[in-house]
Amino acid sequence: MVLPSLPNIFTKASSSSPSRSSKKKSRPEAESERDRDSDRSPTSPVKGAGKGGGSSPAKDKGTRHRERERDRDRDRDRDVRPQLAAAHRSSRSSSKNKAGVAAAASSASPRFSYSYDRNSHPLNLPPDELRRLSAASVSAMSDPPVPMDVDQEAPVSSPAPTLPSHGVNDDASPAPPPHRSPPAPSPQPQPQPQAPPQRPTVDAEAAKTAGNKHFKAKEYDKAIREYSRAIEADPESSVYLSNRAAALISANRFQEALQDTKAANELEPDNAKVLHRLARVYVSLGRPSEALDVYARIQPPATAKDKAPALTMQHHLKQAEDMLREGTTGSMALHALDQAEQGLGAGVERPRRWRLLRGEAHLKMGNVNALGEAQNVAMSLLRGNSKDPEALVLRGRALYAQGENDKAMQHFRQALNCDPDMKDAVKYLRMVQKLDRMKEEGNAAYKAGRFQEAVDVYGRALEVDPPNRGTNSKILQNRALSSIQLKRYDSAIADSTRALELDPTYVKARKTKAKALGESGNWEEALREYKSIGESNPGEPGVAKEVRNAELELKKSKRKDYYKILGVDKDAGEAEIKKAYRKLAIVHHPDKNPDDEHAAERFKDVGESYETLSDPQKRQRYDSGEDLIDPADMFAGGGMGGFPGGMGGMGGMGGMGGMGGGGVRIDPDVLFSMMGSGGGPGGPGGGFRFGSGGGNGGGFSF
C-alpha cells in the first residue's frame, strides 16, 4: 500500500496514564526538560529512596539503565527528525492522505489518543510517538504501492505495528525518507455499446393489403416490396410467401418465385393454391416432369387444362430424344426442341440438358454450318463451367466430325480427367484412336503401291463409325483413288459419289469423281464436272489444266481408239501389240469373211491401229493428242490466239496476247511435243515461249 503522508501536527493527550500531562509544551520547554534529564548526575538521589538518603547499588543500576535508554531515544530522535520533516513537507500536498495517516496514528497505540492540530510541528512530539511513527513509515514503505480510490472512504485499518522500546538494532541504517508517488491516472470510461435502433412495428395485414392493391394494378415491384414487409413481420405465414411468389411470377423472376413457393409449401404442404403456383414455376423453368409430380399431389385433382403446358413440353422433349437416338437427321429434333422452348418463361435461359440435345442434333446434321453451331453450343456451356465433361465431349465430337482428330482426342481426355467414369468419353476416344490408326495404315499401303490392301483397310475403317460424315467422306475418297489405280472405275465413281453425299463441299472428292469418269471413257461428263468445279471454286489450283486435258481427251475419245480396236491396254508393250494384231488380222481378214461386208473395214482399222501403235513416235503423238491438232487451227476465227490467253508475243511483237478469237484450245504440253526440241518453256530464243504476257524476243510466247 502507498505510504500515507504524515500529518503535520499531533497533540498527545493522556488517556490511560495520569502521570503524563496533557498540557501543551513549547519546543524550548521540551528541549530544556530533556537537557535537565540528561544532565542529571547518576549519583543524584532518586525519588523514593531510603530514609537515609543514600542510594542502593540496585537503584543506581536501574537509574543508569534508564539514562542509557533516554540517550538512545535522543540519538534515535535526532536520526528520525529529518525523515519526519520531509514527510511533513510532502503531507501538505494531499489533505486526504493526512486523514488516512491520522486514522492510522490514532489506532497505532491503544494507550494514547491524539488530536489533530494544524499549528504543531512533528518535531514537538514526544520520543515514543516519534518512534511509533517512524516504525509505521518503514513498514508502509516495504509494501507495494496501491493506488487509492479517491471516490471511496478509506477503510479502517488495523493498528500499525509499533517498535518495541527495547531491543532496537542500533547498527541498522535509518530508513530512507518516503518518495512521492505520482497519482495514478484515473481510468477512462469505456464507451458503452449502443443498442440498435428498434424498427418500427409493421402491420403484416396492412402490408399484405397494400401488396394486393399494387398486384391488381400490375405494379409488381411495389407489390413484392409490400409482401416482403409482411413476411418480415410474420415469417411463418405461407399466405404472404405465396402472394409474393405470385408477384414474382408475374414479374418473370421465376428462380425467386421457386424459392418462395417451396418455402410456402413447407409451411403448408397441402395448400392447393401454393401447389398450383409451384407447378407453374417448374413449367416456366423447363422442368415439366417435376411440374407433373406436383400436379399429382393436388386435391381435388388438377384439370387437364392446368396440366396441358407441362404435358406438351414433356412430349416435345421426348420426341427430340427419340429422333436423336433412332433418326438419321437432326433437323426434326431441332424442330421438336423449338416447340418445347415455347413453354419457357420470358427471359428464362434454355436448360443445360436442352442445350446438349441441341448440340447433338447439330452433330447429327453433319454439315459445315451445323458443326459450327455444335461448337458454339459446347463453347457456351464451357464458358459457364470449363470442367463440364458433357460439354467437353460435345466439342470433341464436333472437332472429330471436322477431321481434327488430335484436338478431338485432347477434349475426350480432358472429359475423362473431370469424370473418369464417363462412358461417352471412353467410347469416342477409343473410336477416334482406332479410326485414325486404320486410316494411316491404308494411306501407307497406297503410297507403297499396294492398292488392293489399301482398298481393304479403307473398307474396314468405314465400319468403325458409320454415322461420322466428315471422316468417312475422306476414307471413301481415298478408296476411290485406290480403285482408279486398279482400273475399277465404276467402284471409284460410286465411292466418290457417296463421299460427296456425306460432304457436298468436298472438292477433292469431286475431282476424283471427274477423273474416274474420264478414265472410264466418259470424258464428256468428266469435262462437265471439271468445269463445274472451276466455276464454284475459281481459286482451286490445277482446275484450269484439268479442263484443258478433259477437252483434249474428249476430242481423242471421238477418234478411233486404236487400243480398243486391238483389245490391249494403253500401257501394253510392243510384243503384246504385235500378237494382238496378228490374231485380229486373221480373224477380220476379208478372205476369212466373204459374206461380211464390214470385214474389210475392220481389217483396215486393225492395220491402221497396228501401224500407229507399233511406231513409238506415232504412238507418242497419238497418246498426247498431237495428231488432232491442225496448225491452221492456231489462226482460226480470224484472229491470232486460238490458244488460251492469246499469243504473248511474236519475235519482238510483245503485247499481242489476248488477240484470240475462237479456235482450238490446246494444252501447252502438247505443243512442246509437237515442236520437239525446238525450244522449251521459257527458252531464251527460237521456237515457242509460253508465258502470260508479252515476249522478250525470239519466237512465239504462249
Side-chain angles (χ1 to χ4, degrees), residues 116-399:
Y116 181 85
D117 189 355
R118 296 178 178 269
N119 299 323
S120 298
H121 195 275
L123 298 179
N124 296 330
L125 298 175
D128 293 341
E129 185 63 15
L130 290 175
R131 285 195 301 272
R132 187 187 65 78
L133 293 177
S134 177
S137 300
V138 172
S139 175
M141 289 178 63
S142 63
D143 296 334
V146 178
M148 285 176 48
D149 189 357
V150 297
D151 296 334
Q152 298 180 0
E153 296 182 359
V156 178
S157 61
S158 60
T162 59
L163 294 175
S165 59
H166 302 287
V168 178
N169 188 2
D170 296 336
D171 299 333
S173 60
H179 298 279
R180 288 187 64 186
S181 299
S186 60
Q188 297 293 333
Q190 297 294 332
Q192 298 295 331
Q194 297 181 356
Q198 295 184 354
R199 295 183 178 180
T201 305
V202 177
D203 187 350
E205 282 298 320
K208 173 193 168 186
T209 303
N212 293 344
K213 180 179 179 181
H214 289 304
F215 185 85
K216 292 179 181 179
K218 297 184 179 181
E219 298 173 345
Y220 301 118
D221 291 338
K222 294 181 179 179
I224 292 170
R225 284 196 295 271
E226 293 297 332
Y227 290 139
S228 299
R229 293 177 65 241
I231 293 170
E232 290 177 2
D234 186 4
E236 301 299 323
S237 174
S238 63
V239 175
Y240 302 154
L241 287 168
S242 179
N243 285 8
R244 187 171 70 175
L248 289 168
I249 292 172
S250 300
N252 297 323
R253 294 160 61 177
F254 297 99
Q255 288 292 348
E256 299 172 71
L258 179 62
Q259 301 301 322
D260 278 358
T261 49
K262 283 184 175 181
N265 184 51
E266 291 176 0
L267 294 173
E268 193 174 355
D270 297 329
N271 189 308
K273 183 180 291 187
V274 173
L275 292 176
H276 272 287
R277 287 174 179 166
L278 179 59
R280 181 182 172 188
V281 171
Y282 277 135
V283 173
S284 299
L285 292 175
R287 298 157 68 174
S289 298
E290 295 172 80
L292 292 173
D293 292 340
V294 173
Y295 280 127
R297 294 166 47 194
I298 298 176
Q299 293 297 330
T303 63
K305 182 179 179 180
D306 293 332
K307 296 188 291 184
L311 291 171
T312 302
M313 182 180 289
Q314 188 183 52
H315 169 72
H316 289 308
L317 288 176
K318 187 176 183 302
Q319 188 179 20
E321 292 174 352
D322 293 342
M323 289 179 178
L324 291 175
R325 184 174 56 254
E326 302 171 0
T328 57
T329 179
S331 58
M332 294 302 297
L334 290 175
H335 176 72
L337 289 172
D338 291 338
Q339 294 297 317
E341 289 174 6
Q342 293 181 4
L344 292 176
V348 175
E349 188 180 17
R350 295 168 180 166
R352 174 177 170 277
R353 180 58 187 164
W354 295 20
R355 295 160 72 184
L356 289 171
L357 290 174
R358 185 170 290 274
E360 183 81 17
H362 286 303
L363 283 178
K364 189 170 280 292
M365 292 178 68
N367 56 57
V368 176
N369 294 334
L371 293 178
E373 289 295 330
Q375 287 261 34
N376 293 337
V377 171
M379 290 303 298
S380 66
L381 290 170
L382 290 173
R383 278 191 292 269
N385 180 12
S386 61
K387 296 186 181 299
D388 186 344
E390 291 182 293
L392 287 169
V393 170
L394 177 63
R395 185 158 192 258
R397 291 178 61 189
L399 292 169

Side-chain angles (χ1 to χ4, degrees), residues 542-559:
V543 175
K545 181 179 179 180
E546 295 293 344
V547 170
R548 292 194 298 269
N549 290 340
E551 289 176 343
L552 181 59
E553 292 295 334
L554 180 59
K555 287 181 175 294
K556 289 164 60 177
S557 66
K558 293 181 178 179
R559 68 181 179 180

Side-chain angles (χ1 to χ4, degrees), residues 653-689:
M653 299 171 60
M656 295 178 64
M659 295 176 62
V664 181
R665 298 171 59 87
I666 304 175
D667 190 348
D669 294 336
V670 177
L671 293 177
F672 284 138
S673 301
M674 292 171 59
M675 302 306 171
S677 60
F688 292 91
R689 284 190 75 257

Side-chain angles (χ1 to χ4, degrees), residues 583-597:
K583 180 180 179 181
L584 292 175
I586 295 173
V587 172
H588 298 290
H589 196 281
D591 294 341
K592 297 288 185 180
N593 301 281
D595 298 332
D596 188 356
E597 58 183 10

Side-chain angles (χ1 to χ4, degrees), residues 3-10 83-102 116-118 120-122 137 178-180:
L3 176 65
S5 302
L6 294 176
N8 294 347
I9 301 169
F10 288 96
Q83 302 177 23
L84 295 176
H88 173 70
R89 288 192 300 270
S90 63
S91 64
R92 293 181 178 179
S93 63
S94 176
S95 60
K96 292 189 178 182
N97 289 346
K98 295 176 184 179
V101 173
Y116 181 85
D117 189 355
R118 296 178 178 269
S120 298
H121 195 275
S137 300
H179 298 279
R180 288 187 64 186

